[in-house]
Coordinates of all heavy atoms in Angstrom, one line a residue:
A1 N 112.1 140.6 48.6 CA 113.0 140.8 49.7 C 112.3 140.6 51.0 O 112.8 140.2 52.0 CB 113.6 142.2 49.7
D2 N 111.0 141.0 51.1 CA 110.2 140.9 52.3 C 109.6 139.6 52.5 O 109.0 139.3 53.6 CB 109.0 142.0 52.3 CG 109.6 143.4 52.3 OD1 110.7 143.6 52.7 OD2 108.8 144.3 51.9
T3 N 109.7 138.7 51.6 CA 109.1 137.3 51.7 C 109.9 136.5 52.7 O 111.1 136.3 52.5 CB 108.9 136.6 50.4 OG1 108.2 137.4 49.5 CG2 108.4 135.2 50.5
P4 N 109.3 135.9 53.7 CA 110.0 135.1 54.7 C 110.5 133.8 54.1 O 109.9 133.4 53.1 CB 109.1 135.0 55.9 CG 107.7 135.1 55.2 CD 107.9 136.1 54.1
A5 N 111.4 133.1 54.7 CA 111.8 131.8 54.3 C 110.7 130.8 54.5 O 110.0 130.9 55.5 CB 113.1 131.4 55.1
R6 N 110.6 129.9 53.7 CA 109.6 128.8 53.8 C 109.9 128.0 55.1 O 111.0 127.7 55.5 CB 109.7 127.7 52.7 CG 109.0 128.2 51.4 CD 107.5 127.9 51.4 NE 106.8 128.4 50.2 CZ 105.5 128.3 50.0 NH1 104.8 127.7 51.0 NH2 105.0 128.8 48.9
G7 N 108.8 127.8 55.9 CA 108.9 127.2 57.2 C 108.8 128.1 58.3 O 108.6 127.7 59.5
S8 N 109.1 129.4 58.1 CA 109.1 130.3 59.2 C 107.8 130.9 59.6 O 107.8 131.7 60.5 CB 110.1 131.5 58.8 OG 109.6 132.2 57.7
A9 N 106.7 130.5 59.0 CA 105.4 131.1 59.3 C 105.0 130.6 60.7 O 105.4 129.6 61.1 CB 104.4 130.7 58.3
H10 N 104.1 131.4 61.3 CA 103.6 131.0 62.6 C 102.2 131.7 62.8 O 101.8 132.5 62.0 CB 104.6 131.5 63.7 CG 104.8 132.9 63.7 ND1 104.0 133.9 64.2 CD2 105.9 133.6 63.0 CE1 104.5 135.1 64.0 NE2 105.6 135.0 63.3
M11 N 101.5 131.2 63.8 CA 100.2 131.8 64.1 C 100.2 133.3 64.2 O 101.0 133.8 65.0 CB 99.6 131.2 65.4 CG 99.0 129.8 65.3 SD 98.2 129.4 66.8 CE 97.3 127.9 66.2
G12 N 99.4 134.0 63.5 CA 99.3 135.4 63.6 C 100.3 136.2 62.8 O 100.4 137.4 62.9
I13 N 101.0 135.5 61.9 CA 102.1 136.2 61.2 C 101.5 137.3 60.3 O 102.2 138.3 60.1 CB 102.9 135.2 60.3 CG1 104.1 135.8 59.7 CG2 102.0 134.6 59.2 CD1 105.0 134.8 59.0
G14 N 100.3 137.3 59.9 CA 99.7 138.3 59.1 C 98.7 139.2 59.8 O 98.2 140.2 59.2
V15 N 98.5 139.0 61.1 CA 97.4 139.7 61.8 C 97.7 141.3 61.8 O 96.8 142.0 61.5 CB 97.2 139.2 63.2 CG1 96.2 140.1 63.9 CG2 96.7 137.8 63.1
V16 N 98.8 141.7 62.3 CA 99.1 143.1 62.5 C 99.0 143.8 61.1 O 98.5 144.9 61.0 CB 100.4 143.3 63.2 CG1 100.8 144.8 63.2 CG2 100.3 142.8 64.6
A17 N 99.7 143.2 60.1 CA 99.7 143.8 58.8 C 98.3 144.0 58.2 O 98.1 145.0 57.5 CB 100.6 143.0 57.9
H18 N 97.4 143.0 58.4 CA 96.2 143.1 57.7 C 95.0 143.6 58.6 O 94.1 144.2 58.1 CB 95.8 141.6 57.2 CG 96.7 141.1 56.2 ND1 96.4 141.3 54.8 CD2 97.8 140.4 56.2 CE1 97.3 140.8 54.1 NE2 98.2 140.2 54.9
D19 N 95.1 143.3 59.9 CA 94.0 143.7 60.8 C 94.3 144.8 61.8 O 93.5 145.3 62.5 CB 93.4 142.5 61.6 CG 92.5 141.7 60.7 OD1 92.1 142.1 59.6 OD2 92.1 140.6 61.2
G20 N 95.6 145.1 61.9 CA 96.1 146.1 62.8 C 96.2 145.5 64.3 O 96.0 144.3 64.5
Q21 N 96.5 146.4 65.2 CA 96.7 146.0 66.5 C 96.2 147.1 67.4 O 96.6 148.3 67.4 CB 98.2 145.7 66.9 CG 98.4 145.2 68.3 CD 99.8 144.6 68.4 OE1 100.6 144.7 67.5 NE2 100.0 144.0 69.6
G22 N 95.1 146.8 68.3 CA 94.5 147.8 69.2 C 94.9 147.6 70.6 O 96.0 147.1 70.9
G23 N 94.0 147.8 71.5 CA 94.2 147.6 72.9 C 94.2 146.2 73.4 O 93.9 145.2 72.5
L24 N 94.4 145.9 74.6 CA 94.3 144.6 75.2 C 93.0 144.4 75.9 O 92.4 145.3 76.4 CB 95.5 144.4 76.2 CG 96.9 144.4 75.7 CD1 97.9 144.4 76.8 CD2 97.1 143.3 74.7
P25 N 92.5 143.1 76.0 CA 91.3 142.9 76.7 C 91.4 143.1 78.2 O 92.5 143.0 78.7 CB 91.0 141.4 76.3 CG 92.3 140.8 76.0 CD 93.1 142.0 75.4
A26 N 90.3 143.3 78.9 CA 90.3 143.4 80.3 C 90.8 142.0 80.9 O 90.6 141.0 80.3 CB 88.9 143.7 80.8
D27 N 91.4 142.1 82.0 CA 92.0 140.9 82.6 C 90.9 140.1 83.2 O 90.4 140.4 84.3 CB 93.1 141.2 83.7 CG 93.8 140.0 84.1 OD1 93.6 138.9 83.7 OD2 94.8 140.2 85.0
T28 N 90.5 139.0 82.6 CA 89.4 138.1 83.1 C 89.9 136.7 83.3 O 89.1 135.7 82.9 CB 88.2 138.2 82.1 OG1 88.7 137.8 80.8 CG2 87.6 139.6 82.1
R29 N 91.0 136.5 83.9 CA 91.6 135.2 84.0 C 90.8 134.3 84.8 O 91.0 133.1 84.8 CB 93.1 135.3 84.4 CG 94.0 135.9 83.4 CD 95.4 135.9 83.8 NE 96.2 136.6 82.9 CZ 97.5 136.7 83.0 NH1 98.2 136.1 84.0 NH2 98.2 137.4 82.1
A30 N 89.9 134.8 85.7 CA 89.2 134.0 86.6 C 88.2 133.0 85.8 O 87.9 131.9 86.2 CB 88.4 134.8 87.6
T31 N 87.7 133.5 84.7 CA 86.9 132.8 83.9 C 87.4 132.4 82.5 O 86.8 131.6 81.7 CB 85.5 133.5 83.7 OG1 85.7 134.8 83.1 CG2 84.8 133.6 85.0
Q32 N 88.5 133.1 82.1 CA 89.1 132.8 80.8 C 90.6 132.4 81.0 O 91.4 133.2 81.4 CB 89.0 134.0 79.9 CG 87.6 134.3 79.5 CD 87.5 135.2 78.3 OE1 88.4 136.0 78.0 NE2 86.4 135.1 77.5
T33 N 90.9 131.2 80.7 CA 92.2 130.7 81.1 C 93.2 131.1 80.1 O 93.1 130.9 78.9 CB 92.0 129.1 81.2 OG1 90.9 128.8 82.0 CG2 93.3 128.5 81.8
E34 N 94.3 131.5 80.6 CA 95.4 132.1 79.8 C 96.2 130.9 79.2 O 96.5 129.9 79.8 CB 96.4 132.9 80.7 CG 97.4 133.7 79.9 CD 96.8 135.0 79.3 OE1 95.6 135.3 79.5 OE2 97.6 135.7 78.7
G35 N 96.6 131.2 77.9 CA 97.4 130.2 77.2 C 98.4 130.9 76.3 O 98.4 132.2 76.1
V36 N 99.3 130.2 75.6 CA 100.3 130.7 74.7 C 100.4 129.8 73.5 O 100.0 128.6 73.5 CB 101.7 130.9 75.3 CG1 101.7 131.9 76.4 CG2 102.2 129.5 75.8
D37 N 100.9 130.4 72.4 CA 101.2 129.5 71.2 C 102.6 129.9 70.8 O 103.0 131.1 70.9 CB 100.2 129.8 70.1 CG 100.1 131.2 69.6 OD1 99.3 132.0 70.2 OD2 100.9 131.6 68.7
V38 N 103.4 128.9 70.5 CA 104.8 129.0 70.2 C 105.2 128.4 68.9 O 104.6 127.4 68.4 CB 105.7 128.5 71.3 CG1 105.4 129.3 72.6 CG2 105.4 127.0 71.6
A39 N 106.3 128.8 68.3 CA 106.9 128.2 67.1 C 108.4 128.3 67.2 O 109.0 128.7 68.2 CB 106.4 129.0 65.9
S40 N 109.1 127.9 66.2 CA 110.6 127.7 66.3 C 111.3 129.0 66.5 O 112.4 129.0 67.1 CB 111.1 127.0 65.0 OG 110.8 127.8 63.9
Y41 N 110.8 130.2 66.0 CA 111.4 131.4 66.2 C 111.6 131.8 67.6 O 112.4 132.7 67.9 CB 110.8 132.5 65.3 CG 109.5 133.1 65.9 CD1 109.6 134.3 66.6 CD2 108.3 132.5 65.8 CE1 108.4 134.8 67.1 CE2 107.1 133.0 66.3 CZ 107.2 134.2 67.0 OH 106.0 134.7 67.5
Q42 N 110.8 131.2 68.5 CA 110.9 131.5 69.9 C 111.9 130.6 70.7 O 112.1 130.8 71.8 CB 109.5 131.4 70.6 CG 108.6 132.6 70.1 CD 107.1 132.2 70.1 OE1 106.8 131.1 69.8 NE2 106.3 133.2 70.3

């Protein structure tokens, strides 16, 4: 029942379940350029 439909996977789909989720990094956008990754569910 918990298995998603084929094709619905995306970057990071297993990260929280397997590695957990902690804090956020310090805001260092002056030297580290911000990006995003997207898939169909968005």
Side-chain angles (χ1 to χ4, degrees):
D2 294 341
T3 301
R6 281 277 177 181
S8 63
H10 56 85
M11 275 187 171
I13 190 170
V15 173
V16 173
H18 292 272
D19 279 355
Q21 185 163 6
L24 294 174
D27 190 359
T28 54
R29 293 185 186 184
T31 57
Q32 292 197 336
T33 311
E34 193 77 2
V36 295
D37 57 273
V38 297
S40 62
Y41 77 99
Q42 289 150 329

